[in-house]
Amino acid sequence: MSRKLAVDLPYFPNLEYFAALAEADEILLCSGDLYQRQSYFNRTKIRLANKIETLSVPIQGRRPRIPLSQIKIDNQQKWLNTHLRGIQSAYGKAPFYEFYFPYFEQVFLGEQESLWDLNLEVLTICLKLLGFPVKMSVVHTLENKKGLIDIRGQMLPSKPFMHRDYYSPVPYFQLFGLDFEPNLSVLDLLFCEGPTAKSILLKSVKKH
């Protein structure tokens, strides 16, 4: 029986996200879902030398409750340089940075106007690099929920991952700090561990 999940579409998703969909055969992304403040839709976390840094993509306008597919990036702000500098500072000396970074650099250079389109491109690349053979489908709304596991809206920055049933951290090599920092952006795992990222994620799936 195929395992089908309805999931959110975060910006450079964290490890909990990939642990949640590690055993899925298909994921559904709903472009008609309404924008929620304080979500992972426009933010991710990376590890710098002396702190955990949140990278946020600025969004145009006052952002009323409109569909995610209509959210526009505020490219008037110099967020792109900030993110590129931050990623390079955090991972420029990581073992697999030079191998993986060109994939993401192409996304940044594309100067997307739609945050949905940017996140979709990022997720597509991440799934490919991780070797996750999951089918990805974009729908406007969920018409038929039969046989579907819906985990949209569950992973929020304000609620620790320990309170959910998806991710049990498996420590791996990180560039900075003595203590392992769990649940960072998938960039952290890819740049630090490279081809072993998939096996680490599969071991991180919380057992029930």
Side-chain angles (χ1 to χ4, degrees):
M1 183 177 172
S2 66
R3 181 176 161 86
K4 191 182 291 188
L5 294 183
V7 294
D8 295 321
L9 182 60
Y11 176 65
F12 282 103
N14 58 30
L15 301 191
E16 180 190 20
Y17 181 88
F18 288 103
L21 58 82
E23 296 169 343
D25 299 297
E26 182 179 0
I27 57 173
L28 296 181
L29 304 161
C30 303
S31 62
D33 284 353
L34 300 181
Y35 173 74
Q36 304 281 347
R37 296 185 65 219
Q38 304 300 317
S39 74
Y40 284 116
F41 184 57
N42 70 322
R43 72 188 67 191
T44 194
K45 289 185 177 182
I46 61 173
R47 184 170 196 163
L48 295 174
N50 53 5
K51 64 175 178 175
I52 304 302
E53 177 81 1
T54 298
L55 300 177
S56 297
V57 180
I59 295 170
Q60 290 182 18
R62 294 184 58 211
R63 306 181 295 280
R65 289 175 63 78
I66 61 174
L68 294 176
S69 58
Q70 295 180 22
I71 297 291
K72 300 295 184 186
I73 300 171
D74 185 357
N75 285 314
Q76 297 294 316
Q77 298 189 43
K78 303 300 181 187
W79 69 275
L80 198 54
N81 292 338
T82 302
H83 287 211
L84 286 171
R85 274 202 314 270
I87 292 168
Q88 187 170 24
S89 297
Y91 304 113
K93 294 182 180 178
F96 298 95
Y97 176 81
E98 290 188 7
F99 181 77
Y100 288 120
F101 182 69
Y103 290 94
F104 300 114
E105 188 176 32
Q106 292 304 310
V107 178
F108 286 124
L109 295 177
E111 294 190 10
Q112 291 276 14
E113 293 184 4
S114 161
L115 184 51
W116 177 270
D117 290 346
L118 174 68
N119 288 358
L120 191 62
E121 196 173 350
V122 165
L123 179 58
T124 302
I125 293 170
C126 289
L127 290 171
K128 177 183 175 183
L129 296 180
L130 288 169
F132 275 24
V134 62
K135 179 184 176 186
M136 193 164 60
S137 301
V138 176
V139 297
H140 185 68
T141 55
L142 287 179
E143 302 293 343
N144 180 13
K145 292 192 177 184
K146 188 177 180 181
L148 180 71
I149 302 168
D150 189 351
I151 62 172
R152 293 173 299 163
Q154 291 187 19
M155 299 180 204
L156 298 170
S158 58
K159 297 178 181 178
F161 70 86
M162 298 86 76
H163 297 174
R164 294 180 289 272
D165 293 328
Y166 308 119
Y167 175 63
S168 180
V170 171
Y172 56 86
F173 166 76
Q174 290 178 325
L175 275 184
F176 303 116
L178 296 174
D179 298 324
F180 174 73
E181 183 68 33
N183 208 30
L184 295 174
S185 166
V186 69
L187 289 173
D188 189 81
L189 178 61
L190 282 171
F191 290 147
C192 291
E193 289 287 352
T196 60
K198 180 180 180 180
S199 64
I200 291 168
L201 275 172
L202 293 178
K203 291 173 187 172
S204 302
V205 177
K206 191 175 276 191
K207 302 295 185 286
H208 299 290

